[in-house]
Amino acid sequence: MRTMKICKNCILPATFPGVTFDEEGVCNHCRSFKGSGLLKEHMQKYEKNFHELMERYRGKSEYDVLMCYSGGKDSTYTMKIFREKYNLAVLALTFDNGFISPKAMDNMGTVADRLGVDHITFKVRFDILKKIFATAADEELYPRKTLERASTICTSCISFVKFIALKTALEKEIPFIGYGWSPGQAPIQSSVMKTNPRLIRMTQKVVFDPLYKIVGDAIRPYFLEEKHFKSDVEFPYNVHPLAFSEYNEAKIIKKLNELGWEKPDDTDPNSTNCLLNGLANQIHENRYGYNPYAFEIAKMVREGVMTREEGINRFEEPVPSGLIDFAKKRLEII
């Protein structure tokens, strides 16, 4: 990050699409930021909205929330919030992409038991995932705009997560789907949002069509079918409460340690659960000239969630030795 021009206020690099700098070296995203005061007002507004929805839907189904549970710090802390702050009945759903850190697996079992959460793991055939991830490592699959905040590999992976979770929530009539997005990953305006069937059709097609070209009909079980779009089917709300909650990584990790969660030592600096993330980031950076976490980290620095030095250090921290070679070997792309 220090070898290229970056914003003097946040850490957004000059290589990020659409970024511009003023004479003082401050990026356009920082210049348009309205300040922490307005942000706090929005946080209160969306948390109030969630409270109102909880009162309406709590107890209407066997589970109140389907938690997309990766085992990383953010999804684990989000699940803790749902259980201990909001007292919701949670079903945790883990998508096993074939690259989950063994420590993350242990963490998930420990925390689910401590929080009193039912937990299911959806493991997709690895031959399917290997073809998709290996293709994503070699070529672009999605519109360029989608890649400003995630690599092609990660976009493929999260597509499985989102649509398997939505399909499960619809079939179990669960009113909320929980995501552990950090404050930098998604805008607060999307922190409590009703899923729109028409929009879901469009977004599903964007990812389904490229994946279908790679593995054909084998991809169908993981996405919505026509029956899910019937007029009498009520779609759930997506909720990512970290957007309207206090967010401090050191405090979060301390609280998670009390639940028996331990930070893995075999993942890259931007993940606490995935052994593929380091390779995905490297490919993206080589292809586009910026780390796919740049926008997320810059936003957290801008909003005061993280110091600028912490943001810079996140990109300078080395990837564990052998992690990228391990991922390449498992995908047979060496």
Side-chain angles (χ1 to χ4, degrees):
M1 293 290 289
R2 291 187 188 274
T3 59
M4 69 175 74
K5 181 178 181 180
I6 64 174
C7 175
K8 290 188 176 180
N9 184 64
C10 67
I11 51 88
L12 205 61
T15 49
F16 189 81
V19 70
T20 60
F21 299 95
D22 64 16
E23 293 180 356
E24 296 179 355
V26 177
C27 77
N28 51 312
H29 294 274
C30 286
R31 295 197 304 273
S32 63
F33 178 54
K34 302 300 182 181
S36 57
L38 182 60
L39 178 61
K40 288 181 179 178
E41 288 182 17
H42 285 161
M43 291 171 68
Q44 294 171 355
K45 170 186 173 182
Y46 283 97
E47 183 170 24
K48 182 176 182 291
N49 186 16
F50 184 45
H51 274 284
E52 293 171 352
L53 290 170
M54 281 191 292
E55 293 308 308
R56 185 191 311 173
Y57 289 102
R58 188 194 303 272
K60 294 293 181 66
S61 299
E62 54 191 1
Y63 298 104
D64 299 313
V65 179
L66 179 70
M67 179 69 216
C68 295
Y69 189 32
S70 71
K73 72 177 189 319
D74 290 333
S75 69
T76 302
Y77 188 61
T78 298
M79 191 163 73
K80 173 181 166 67
I81 289 174
F82 282 136
R83 286 293 294 133
E84 296 186 344
K85 182 177 182 179
Y86 299 125
N87 193 30
L88 297 174
V90 177
L91 173 62
L93 172 64
T94 297
F95 169 61
D96 185 349
N97 67 355
F99 287 91
I100 298 178
S101 163
K103 174 56 69 176
M105 282 289 196
D106 291 342
N107 285 336
M108 285 189 277
T110 298
V111 172
D113 284 343
R114 294 281 180 89
L115 291 177
V117 169
D118 290 342
H119 181 206
I120 57 177
T121 299
F122 197 114
K123 183 173 176 58
V124 172
R125 290 164 36 194
F126 190 68
D127 63 307
I128 291 175
L129 295 177
K130 184 168 71 171
K131 285 182 181 179
I132 290 172
F133 294 153
T135 303
D138 187 56
E139 61 185 79
E140 200 47 81
L141 304 177
Y142 311 110
R144 182 67 182 269
K145 188 67 178 175
T146 67
L147 303 170
E148 290 182 3
R149 306 186 191 188
S151 68
T152 308
I153 289 176
C154 287
T155 298
S156 301
C157 190
I158 197 63
S159 296
F160 277 94
V161 174
K162 287 180 176 179
F163 286 100
I164 290 171
L166 179 53
K167 194 172 184 179
T168 302
L170 288 171
E171 293 173 356
K172 288 186 169 293
E173 299 182 338
I174 301 175
F176 300 107
I177 299 178
Y179 290 99
W181 306 136
S182 77
Q185 284 180 299
I188 193 167
Q189 290 81 1
S190 68
S191 61
V192 183
M193 181 173 287
K194 181 79 168 178
T195 311
N196 183 304
R198 182 172 174 273
L199 182 60
I200 287 297
R201 277 188 185 275
M202 295 169 58
T203 56
Q204 175 167 286
K205 181 176 174 57
V206 169
V207 294
F208 180 91
D209 288 356
L211 299 183
Y212 186 85
K213 290 180 180 179
I214 299 170
V215 296
D217 286 333
I219 201 67
R220 292 190 181 280
Y222 317 114
F223 288 84
L224 299 190
E225 305 163 52
E226 193 58 38
K227 67 180 181 180
H228 296 112
F229 292 102
K230 291 182 178 179
S231 59
D232 60 341
V233 175
E234 184 173 4
F235 274 61
Y237 286 83
N238 290 336
V239 183
H240 54 97
L242 295 186
F244 48 77
S245 304
E246 179 187 3
Y247 190 91
N248 179 291
E249 285 196 354
K251 290 182 180 179
I252 287 173
I253 290 175
K254 183 178 179 180
K255 290 179 180 180
L256 296 184
N257 290 159
E258 295 170 359
L259 288 174
W261 185 94
E262 297 178 8
K263 185 177 180 179
D265 59 6
D266 55 357
T267 58
D268 73 281
N270 289 296
S271 176
T272 48
N273 68 295
C274 184
L275 303 179
L276 182 57
N277 199 58
L279 174 62
N281 291 346
Q282 183 189 77
I283 292 170
H284 187 96
E285 194 158 2
N286 290 340
R287 189 178 289 170
Y288 298 114
Y290 63 93
N291 189 293
Y293 283 83
F295 188 87
E296 173 187 349
I297 301 301
K299 185 173 183 290
M300 289 200 287
V301 171
R302 190 178 305 120
E303 295 178 356
V305 174
M306 179 183 292
T307 68
R308 188 171 186 272
E309 193 64 28
E310 287 172 337
I312 291 173
N313 290 341
R314 181 66 62 85
F315 295 109
E316 294 184 343
E317 186 177 340
V319 175
S321 176
L323 180 61
I324 290 176
D325 287 341
F326 162 79
K328 286 182 176 180
K329 183 176 181 181
R330 184 148 169 74
L331 294 178
E332 298 181 357
I333 59 175
I334 291 180

